[in-house]
Amino acid sequence: MPDRRRRRSLSIFRPPLAPLTPINDEPPNSAPTTLKKRRPTSIDQADPPPSTPTDAAISRSNSKHGLDRLVSMKRGTRPSSLFGSLRSLSSLHDENEELTKTASSPSSLSSVGPAIPDVAAGMVIHHGALPEVGPMFRRRCPYLVLTDNHLIQFKSQDRASEIFPAVPRSGGQPASGSSGQARPNSVRHSRLSSTSSVFELQSSLEGLYSIPLLNVVAVHKLDDGEPYFSIEVAYFNDDTNHASTITLQIHDPGESDSWLIAIRSAASSARSTTSVPFSQSLVEHTARALEQEQDYDPHHFHMFKVVQRANKSGKRSSSDDLTKLTSKICILAIGLFKVHLVPLPKTSRTSSSTSLSELNGTSHGIATLASVKVQTFDDSFQLWFRRPFQSSSALHLAALCVNEVVLWLRQAAEFLRPDWTEQPFAWMVPQTLDDELLPVPAEGEEHGYFDRTLTAYCAAYGINTSTIRYRINYSCEDAPAFELLPITGAGRIKYNSMELLAILRALRYNESFGTISLSQTALDPLHGLYDEYGWEHTPWTTRSGETVELENQQKASVLIQEIRALAVKSKRLRRLDFSDCLTRRPSSAGTIPDVGCGICEALFPLCAKQYTNVDWIILNGIMLSDVDIDYLYAAAISKDPHFRAIEVSNCGLADRSFLAILQALSHQGSTLECVNFSSNFARLEPLNMREYLDELAYIRKVDFSNTYRTSGPEPLLELRTLVGWKLEELDLSRTSINIETLQAIAAYLRSPQSQVLRHLRLNQCGLTGGNVADLLQAMSDPGPFRDLHLHINENHLEQGHDRLAKAISQSLSPLYVTMEMLEYKDENNFRLLVQAWTQNTSTRYLNMSKVSLPSEAGNETIAALESLLGDNQILESLNIAGEQAHLEVANFGSGICRALTGLQRNKSLKLLHVEHQKLGMPGANALASILEENDTLEYLHCAGNGFTLQAFTVIVRSLANNRRLVHLASMEEDRAVAIKKVDREIDQVRESGLRSLTMPTKATVNTVKRSIGSAVSGQLPFSNRGSGSPQTQKRPHSDKELAGMMDTIAENWQREMAVMQTYLTRNRYLAKKRVAAAEEEEQEPASTRTSLYGSKDATPMGEPDRQLTLTDKDDDDEVLDEGEEGMEEALMMSKKLTLE
């Protein structure tokens, strides 16, 4: 019987090496060896040394100890799929006798043990003697033979010669019965020193132990010091779940290379003809591991058997040191977002001295991949992963399927960043692999796969995706615009550095957005932050491949590098908005100079050298230092950038810096479209500004609001300057305007050049009613119904009020007028203004919100408001909302409920704002009656009016007979106030009960009943229901009963909200049908009609806010695209709720 005792096998490894450093050079003085090419698992093999045992492979001779037949193998290319081992391939054949076949479907992932041919039927490729092992008096000399399907150990060389006649007997004698001549003594056989005494696998003959080459996982050199010639062979049996390794210590480098090439070549050839599927239990074990990491996707799941190599640095190790090193066979799984090293199941047993220790599974985000390196002389490869601000983490691995591993990993990385023309990791692989890259599967997603890439970075950086919110704006200039929204659900108000990096890196290479807005997003966590551990994310080139030549690229802060990457990696990006994204203040004290905000340093050198197409930069709210202004000035003074706008509102500019920037921008006169210097410390000097402003021939937007100007008779903007522009927006709000400036503006409004003007903002400019009347008269001279939005908020209109009222009554006003926060000392003047608007026929949009009167509106004023709401058949949008603040309250009083009844006869109004007017239950009844009668109102904003649940229910139930209203406020504010009020009164009752330590009085109990009863839907206060029985009055409510009443109130609010959404959904569907029918009847294209709701004060109809999650769901308030079935269900639900 063979000796089956086992010794601990030893292994030795190299010291860890720095990335990008080759582990070993190709073996010198090598002769070419031709190996069969496999795709995609072809191995770049080192040339064998000249001292090989035979010229190619030792042919087996016929003898009485040999087999009668030779084994013939059908050679075929290996499948390119990662799961090639799971596919049905041809098994081995012995001439006419067909051996057992192995087949497995990749979809079912079934496990069928591979057919193992007779060990003795193999063709000898390499052989050599092992050192003597065993006790002193029973020492023996094992012998190792490599065939084309097994690696076999015999007790002795003579025993090997009996099975394989090509192996000479000990002493160089030919095998018995061999027809050939004895092997010459001059041919030296390699003597191998093995740390494994036996190999555990199948034994086909007594005294013979073998490793099927189909079970080999990896063959690689050990890192055991310099020089190193040891070879490790790792193998795993899927049927028995046995994993083990063997280490061959070879003292001759030539012999080491010869054995390495031979074993690798034989194992690769065996796998190219017969696939080895994974067992079902192993697949399920790996899938469960990925599910725990929330990274399992059956369409993006690939697994491989690999060896996790250990590293040892220092001098050459002895045999005792080898026992301290272990290699671990594990599963490398590539999920959707991560790479996982999964330990083998606990049922797996090891059989060699390198017994597999328990391996803790590790995961690395694919987005953090920093380097891939594949060795050409063995199966080893290295993967480096690096998270921001951390050193890299290396995985030293080895696998016979190394080519498949790196190719699928490359495809996974490109799938997560499909638009990236350059992946941010080093790709150090043989040239043949570059020619075999796998195609990236095409999966259609909107916005340039932004969600996919952002989720990948969140998974790699350990970020909760639900905290990131953004929206896409399609109705702005340079649309679509990506707008980052404040963080939510994280217990903080700012994004941290890792979240910001994930967002910014996900936006790289994105060609879907013309604008990226980071407005109101604090970028302070990235300011002055440096990543000294790597530069893989530094933008060295533009999207087109042009080298970015800037000084100190590597030394730039993370904020500068990320902004530069946004600018140079996208050709479509035109506008960047950084409004109020930095709270830092320039440092003026100390010896260390201020480094600036970083944004100017990042962008303006790129613009000056034309590395980017970004030409509209918004820096509003960022305090600029002298360094920032120098960067801006140097770029703008040159005509190469072609800037359209550089907005510097509220940037702390003084007189000198203001004039310097204005002078530089004057050189961009042929392209500049916007000038924004609002809210700065600089004083506007018309004489110094004139020569620079005259150079701006194509200016569209001018904003000098909230600034100071020098005293003098000169107009702030001269008529010739205004006429020379093509203004669309002019904002002089909160800036002192003299009479000369008003006259210049009025003259400009009379000129034909003002016909393109769309917004004129003169808020809080000290204008009188007479001044506004002059402007209205001027803008009506070219023709009435000017398509212009006039803003005249917070002005003193009572002076010259008669002239203003007359101009309005004569319909001299433009289409849109906003006059918020007007303060009237005389109510009669306000009544005249309301009467003038009643007679007006030119304005479609009117905002008179937050009007302050000396007292509640009188009957005459209420009658005027009722007439405005009922008799003006021109207005389509009206805002008469009040204001409820701690220090100021503005509303019309209780009479507003009577004024609202005028809407019953209105046939034009579509949008009404009536918030914060203290409507209460009377107002709810009035609105309910209006909704039942009015068939034109579509949008109603009435929150903040102290509506109880009963009042809200009255309004909601009135929608049963209304088919027009598509938007109604959800009353969240009113709900919170009502519940808080009831809760406060209950607490007062409890406190009073504790103080008295007696049963509450009848009056106290009734107070609680009235508070709760008035809040519950459909119930009257308890005080109005009669006295009730004496026992009921005396028994107080327990805490449990009070809590139940509060829950009932909350449930009824939710129920009424659901009912409201049902009715509104029905109306939205009907509105769509009406629009579709109208478009079919009308011959005029819809694009030629002007919509009233283009005004920014109208109800927004854009895309709802997005919250990044792994599964996208539509918002509840989004207009549903329902079919006939959905409409019928909505109608049935509405009828059911009406009956209830």
Side-chain angles (χ1 to χ4, degrees):
M1 296 294 292
D3 187 2
R4 295 181 179 273
R5 291 175 299 174
R6 304 169 185 168
R7 296 182 57 194
R8 295 179 58 86
S9 63
L10 306 178
S11 60
I12 187 165
F13 299 86
R14 273 194 74 170
L17 299 178
L20 310 181
T21 304
I23 289 183
N24 192 24
D25 295 330
E26 298 291 341
N29 302 326
S30 58
T33 300
T34 302
L35 298 178
K36 191 174 184 64
K37 182 178 180 181
R38 297 180 295 118
R39 176 183 178 92
T41 57
S42 60
I43 301 176
D44 288 350
Q45 303 165 5
D47 297 333
S51 57
T52 56
T54 58
D55 295 337
I58 302 177
S59 302
R60 183 169 58 87
S61 302
N62 295 328
S63 67
K64 63 180 179 179
H65 300 288
L67 299 178
D68 297 331
R69 300 175 181 178
L70 295 176
V71 177
S72 61
M73 303 170 61
K74 292 185 178 181
R75 304 295 182 181
T77 58
R78 191 174 181 185
S80 60
S81 170
L82 168 64
F83 292 111
S85 59
L86 302 179
R87 299 180 180 230
S88 300
L89 297 178
S90 301
S91 62
L92 300 177
H93 293 265
D94 183 3
E95 288 185 353
N96 299 325
E97 181 181 359
E98 184 178 3
L99 301 179
T100 305
K101 293 184 178 180
T102 300
S104 178
S105 172
S107 60
S108 63
L109 298 179
S110 61
S111 176
V112 181
I116 301 179
D118 187 4
V119 173
M123 182 176 59
V124 176
I125 297 177
H126 207 58
H127 59 91
L130 298 177
E132 296 181 350
V133 296
M136 179 179 298
F137 298 102
R138 298 180 60 187
R139 299 185 68 84
R140 52 192 174 83
C141 184
Y143 201 80
L144 191 65
V145 176
L146 174 66
T147 69
D148 53 3
N149 48 46
H150 282 74
L151 183 63
I152 315 163
Q153 176 199 349
F154 294 90
K155 282 186 176 181
S156 63
Q157 183 175 353
D158 292 339
R159 182 59 175 157
S161 178
E162 292 177 359
I163 304 301
F164 298 103
V167 177
R169 290 183 178 275
S170 59
Q173 296 299 324
S176 175
S178 174
S179 60
Q181 298 179 354
R183 186 179 181 85
N185 294 331
S186 58
V187 178
R188 180 177 58 86
H189 295 277
S190 60
R191 179 171 294 275
L192 308 179
S193 175
S194 174
T195 58
S196 294
S197 60
V198 295
F199 300 127
E200 176 184 343
L201 279 177
Q202 303 181 6
S203 177
S204 60
L205 295 173
E206 183 179 357
L208 181 149
Y209 297 89
S210 65
I211 302 175
L213 295 183
L214 291 177
N215 293 345
V216 173
V217 177
V219 183
H220 62 95
K221 291 187 176 182
L222 278 181
D223 191 2
D224 58 349
E226 293 291 349
Y228 61 97
F229 312 120
S230 299
I231 300 174
E232 182 178 78
V233 181
Y235 53 94
F236 176 77
N237 191 322
D238 293 88
D239 297 331
T240 62
N241 279 336
H242 282 70
S244 187
T245 58
I246 176 176
T247 302
L248 306 177
Q249 289 185 309
I250 306 174
H251 305 290
D252 182 81
E255 295 294 340
S256 174
D257 294 336
S258 178
W259 273 103
L260 179 67
I261 294 173
I263 298 174
R264 291 182 68 209
S265 175
S268 300
S269 298
R271 283 180 173 267
S272 65
T273 57
T274 304
S275 63
V276 182
F278 289 98
S279 64
Q280 186 67 26
S281 60
L282 189 59
V283 173
E284 293 177 354
H285 169 76
T286 307
R288 284 195 299 269
L290 268 65
E291 285 179 348
Q292 292 180 357
E293 294 288 333
Q294 298 181 354
D295 193 39
Y296 177 72
D297 184 343
H299 302 291
H300 301 275
F301 173 65
H302 309 284
M303 56 185 293
F304 312 87
K305 286 175 285 191
V306 298
V307 176
Q308 187 174 12
R309 302 182 291 120
N311 290 315
K312 181 176 177 64
S313 59
K315 298 181 180 179
R316 183 173 177 83
S317 305
S318 63
S319 298
D320 295 336
D321 294 333
L322 293 177
T323 60
K324 302 177 183 179
L325 299 175
T326 59
S327 293
K328 304 177 179 68
I329 298 180
C330 55
I331 299 298
L332 186 144
I334 302 177
L336 181 57
F337 300 114
K338 295 181 181 180
V339 175
H340 309 264
L341 281 182
V342 182
L344 295 174
K346 292 184 178 180
T347 56
S348 299
R349 300 188 303 274
T350 59
S351 57
S352 71
S353 63
T354 56
S355 59
L356 298 178
S357 60
E358 194 66 28
L359 176 64
N360 295 325
T362 59
S363 300
H364 299 273
I366 298 176
T368 62
L369 184 63
S371 180
V372 177
K373 185 174 184 178
V374 176
Q375 303 298 337
T376 58
F377 50 81
D378 63 2
D379 293 335
S380 62
F381 65 101
Q382 294 83 36
L383 302 177
W384 282 272
F385 298 89
R386 195 181 76 84
R387 296 180 65 177
F389 318 112
Q390 297 180 11
S391 59
S392 60
S393 175
L395 295 180
H396 298 273
L397 307 172
L400 196 65
C401 56
V402 55
N403 290 3
E404 290 184 1
V405 174
V406 297
L407 288 176
W408 283 106
L409 181 58
R410 175 66 181 258
Q411 188 205 58
E414 293 180 349
F415 176 78
L416 298 178
R417 292 179 289 234
D419 288 341
W420 288 47
T421 57
E422 295 180 70
Q423 294 295 326
F425 54 81
W427 180 249
M428 296 174 288
V429 300
Q431 182 63 38
T432 55
L433 287 182
D434 285 333
D435 301 331
E436 299 178 353
L437 295 180
L438 302 175
V440 179
E443 295 184 9
E445 291 184 15
E446 59 181 355
H447 307 140
Y449 309 94
F450 172 74
D451 281 350
R452 181 196 302 178
T453 307
L454 179 56
T455 306
Y457 275 107
C458 289
Y461 296 167
I463 298 171
N464 183 6
T465 56
S466 63
T467 61
I468 299 177
R469 296 172 57 245
Y470 71 92
R471 68 183 174 194
I472 310 301
N473 188 353
Y474 294 95
S475 60
C476 62
E477 295 183 1
D478 297 325
F482 171 88
E483 298 177 357
L484 185 61
L485 301 179
I487 192 172
T488 180
R492 46 192 168 89
I493 60 175
K494 296 181 180 179
Y495 292 102
N496 58 34
S497 58
M498 299 297 286
E499 291 166 338
L500 291 173
L501 284 180
I503 296 169
L504 294 175
R505 289 175 179 177
L507 288 170
R508 290 191 186 187
Y509 290 94
N510 194 297
E511 291 294 308
S512 298
F513 306 126
T515 300
I516 293 179
S517 174
L518 304 177
S519 177
Q520 309 297 324
T521 300
L523 299 180
D524 298 272
L526 297 181
H527 184 268
L529 190 63
Y530 296 87
D531 190 352
E532 58 185 10
Y533 296 99
W535 300 277
E536 63 270 14
H537 285 282
T538 302
W540 302 107
T541 59
T542 65
R543 186 181 182 90
S544 58
E546 182 181 1
T547 303
V548 177
E549 298 179 356
L550 296 177
E551 296 182 359
N552 300 324
Q553 274 272 66
Q554 294 182 353
K555 298 181 180 179
S557 68
V558 174
L559 177 62
I560 294 175
Q561 292 185 1
E562 294 302 322
I563 293 177
R564 284 178 177 173
L566 284 181
V568 302
K569 297 300 184 180
S570 175
K571 293 183 178 180
R572 184 175 181 180
L573 185 63
R574 302 292 303 278
R575 186 185 305 232
L576 285 172
D577 187 354
F578 298 99
S579 299
D580 301 303
C581 66
L582 289 174
T583 59
R584 63 174 296 279
R585 299 280 177 175
S587 176
S588 58
T591 58
I592 300 178
D594 187 84
V595 296
C597 68
I599 299 176
C600 296
E601 180 181 354
L603 287 178
F604 290 117
L606 297 177
C607 297
K609 295 187 177 183
Q610 295 182 308
Y611 289 139
T612 178
N613 291 333
V614 174
D615 52 14
W616 195 304
I617 302 174
I618 303 176
L619 304 173
N620 301 336
I622 301 176
M623 296 294 106
L624 300 181
S625 64
D626 293 339
V627 176
D628 299 319
I629 296 174
D630 290 342
Y631 280 114
L632 190 157
Y633 185 87
I637 204 71
S638 172
K639 294 184 179 181
D640 294 333
H642 305 292
F643 286 115
R644 291 188 299 148
I646 300 178
E647 300 188 35
V648 287
S649 171
N650 191 25
C651 291
L653 301 180
D655 294 346
R656 177 177 174 274
S657 55
F658 165 73
L659 284 178
I661 296 177
L662 184 61
Q663 177 188 4
L665 292 179
S666 65
H667 291 77
Q668 306 293 323
S670 59
T671 58
L672 199 68
E673 300 178 11
C674 175
V675 172
N676 186 355
F677 288 98
S678 62
S679 303
N680 282 294
F681 303 130
R683 294 175 300 173
L684 304 180
E685 299 183 6
L687 295 180
N688 294 335
M689 295 166 47
R690 185 180 306 164
E691 59 176 318
Y692 303 130
L693 294 178
D694 290 343
E695 297 292 332
L696 309 178
Y698 297 94
I699 203 73
R700 296 189 298 114
K701 301 179 181 180
V702 174
D703 189 350
F704 287 124
S705 62
N706 197 25
T707 55
Y708 301 97
R709 61 152 295 169
T710 58
S711 60
E714 302 85 5
L716 180 61
L717 299 174
E718 290 189 348
L719 176 60
R720 69 170 188 177
T721 302
L722 293 172
V723 172
W725 291 343
K726 298 179 180 180
L727 277 182
E728 296 178 5
E729 297 183 16
L730 176 61
D731 193 350
L732 300 178
S733 301
R734 294 177 296 281
T735 299
S736 178
I737 296 179
N738 55 15
I739 190 61
E740 289 78 11
T741 303
L742 281 174
Q743 292 175 354
I745 295 176
Y748 169 69
L749 292 174
R750 293 188 183 95
S751 65
Q753 288 80 0
S754 67
Q755 292 299 313
V756 296
L757 186 65
R758 292 295 175 263
H759 291 271
L760 178 59
R761 297 181 177 90
L762 300 174
N763 303 321
Q764 202 175 348
C765 290
L767 301 182
T768 64
N771 298 144
V772 175
D774 293 337
L775 294 177
L776 295 181
Q777 182 66 45
M779 67 180 62
S780 64
D781 283 351
F785 305 106
R786 174 74 73 93
D787 186 7
L788 172 68
H789 194 155
L790 177 63
H791 301 257
I792 49 174
N793 305 334
E794 299 182 81
N795 284 296
H796 308 296
L797 301 185
E798 280 194 293
Q799 184 179 355
H801 194 273
D802 294 340
R803 292 183 56 200
L804 173 62
K806 182 179 180 181
I808 293 175
S809 63
Q810 293 176 350
S811 301
L812 303 181
S813 57
L815 287 177
Y816 310 95
V817 176
T818 298
M819 45 196 323
E820 294 181 353
M821 302 184 69
L822 300 181
E823 184 174 355
Y824 280 90
K825 298 180 180 179
D826 188 353
E827 183 181 337
N828 294 328
N829 289 331
F830 177 70
R831 184 174 67 253
L832 293 176
L833 180 66
V834 173
Q835 292 173 349
W837 283 118
T838 304
Q839 302 173 18
N840 185 276
T841 59
S842 60
T843 298
R844 302 291 185 270
Y845 171 91
L846 176 60
N847 184 349
M848 289 196 305
S849 61
K850 304 176 184 179
V851 174
S852 177
L853 300 178
S855 60
E856 288 190 2
N859 293 332
E860 295 181 357
T861 302
I862 295 299
L865 286 171
E866 192 272 342
S867 179
L868 172 64
L869 294 173
D871 298 336
N872 189 310
Q873 303 298 325
I874 301 298
L875 280 175
E876 298 182 14
S877 176
L878 177 62
N879 189 339
I880 54 173
E883 182 180 17
Q884 185 69 36
H886 293 289
L887 301 178
E888 186 174 356
V889 177
N891 57 73
F892 296 133
S894 58
I896 186 63
C897 299
R898 187 171 75 252
L900 291 176
T901 59
L903 290 172
Q904 293 178 347
R905 61 180 187 273
N906 190 284
K907 300 300 181 183
S908 64
L909 199 63
K910 297 180 181 179
L911 172 64
L912 175 64
H913 286 267
V914 66
E915 300 101 325
H916 301 293
Q917 287 291 354
K918 293 185 177 182
L919 297 180
M921 191 63 197
N925 291 328
L927 290 176
S929 62
I930 292 168
L931 292 176
E932 292 179 350
E933 299 291 336
N934 188 286
D935 61 350
T936 59
L937 193 64
E938 298 178 0
Y939 302 90
L940 177 59
H941 300 266
C942 56
N945 280 291
F947 290 142
T948 62
L949 179 56
Q950 181 182 1
F952 183 45
T953 303
V954 170
I955 297 175
V956 170
R957 300 299 171 166
S958 67
L959 293 177
N961 298 322
N962 186 292
R963 297 294 190 272
R964 282 284 183 175
L965 197 71
V966 296
H967 175 84
L968 177 64
S970 60
M971 313 296 180
E972 286 289 345
E973 181 180 351
D974 299 81
R975 171 182 175 273
V977 171
I979 293 179
K980 185 177 180 180
K981 180 180 179 181
V982 175
D983 190 54
R984 184 171 58 250
E985 294 185 2
I986 290 176
D987 290 340
Q988 292 176 357
V989 172
R990 289 172 177 167
E991 292 176 1
S992 62
L994 290 175
R995 286 194 300 267
S996 62
L997 297 179
T998 60
M999 183 178 297
T1001 63
K1002 171 183 175 181
T1004 304
V1005 174
N1006 286 337
T1007 300
V1008 177
K1009 290 180 177 181
R1010 286 193 299 270
S1011 300
I1012 297 178
S1014 61
V1016 177
S1017 174
Q1019 296 182 3
L1020 295 176
F1022 280 85
S1023 58
N1024 296 336
R1025 294 185 177 184
S1027 58
S1029 63
Q1031 293 181 355
T1032 304
Q1033 296 173 0
K1034 292 181 180 180
R1035 185 179 67 83
H1037 291 281
S1038 64
D1039 291 346
K1040 186 175 181 180
E1041 291 175 333
L1042 294 175
M1045 293 178 183
M1046 295 296 297
D1047 292 340
T1048 300
I1049 296 173
E1051 291 174 0
N1052 287 345
W1053 271 101
Q1054 293 297 332
R1055 181 176 180 274
E1056 294 302 323
M1057 289 182 181
V1059 175
M1060 180 185 69
Q1061 289 301 328
T1062 301
Y1063 289 138
L1064 296 180
T1065 300
R1066 176 200 63 190
N1067 293 351
R1068 290 167 187 157
Y1069 174 78
L1070 295 175
K1072 283 187 175 182
K1073 293 191 68 176
R1074 288 193 296 267
V1075 172
E1079 290 179 350
E1080 291 179 359
E1081 294 178 359
E1082 292 180 359
Q1083 296 181 356
E1084 180 185 4
S1087 58
T1088 62
R1089 297 191 300 269
T1090 303
S1091 175
L1092 167 68
Y1093 301 102
S1095 172
K1096 77 168 190 176
D1097 292 332
T1099 301
M1101 300 297 292
E1103 181 174 324
D1105 298 349
R1106 289 176 177 263
Q1107 183 170 343
L1108 180 63
T1109 56
L1110 293 180
T1111 303
D1112 294 333
K1113 294 183 179 179
D1114 294 334
D1115 294 342
D1116 293 337
D1117 58 349
E1118 188 176 0
V1119 177
L1120 303 177
D1121 188 10
E1122 300 178 350
E1124 293 293 340
E1125 272 184 29
M1127 190 56 226
E1128 291 179 1
E1129 293 177 0
L1131 290 174
M1132 292 177 62
M1133 178 62 72
S1134 64
K1135 292 179 181 178
K1136 180 180 178 181
L1137 295 173
T1138 304
L1139 292 176
E1140 292 178 355

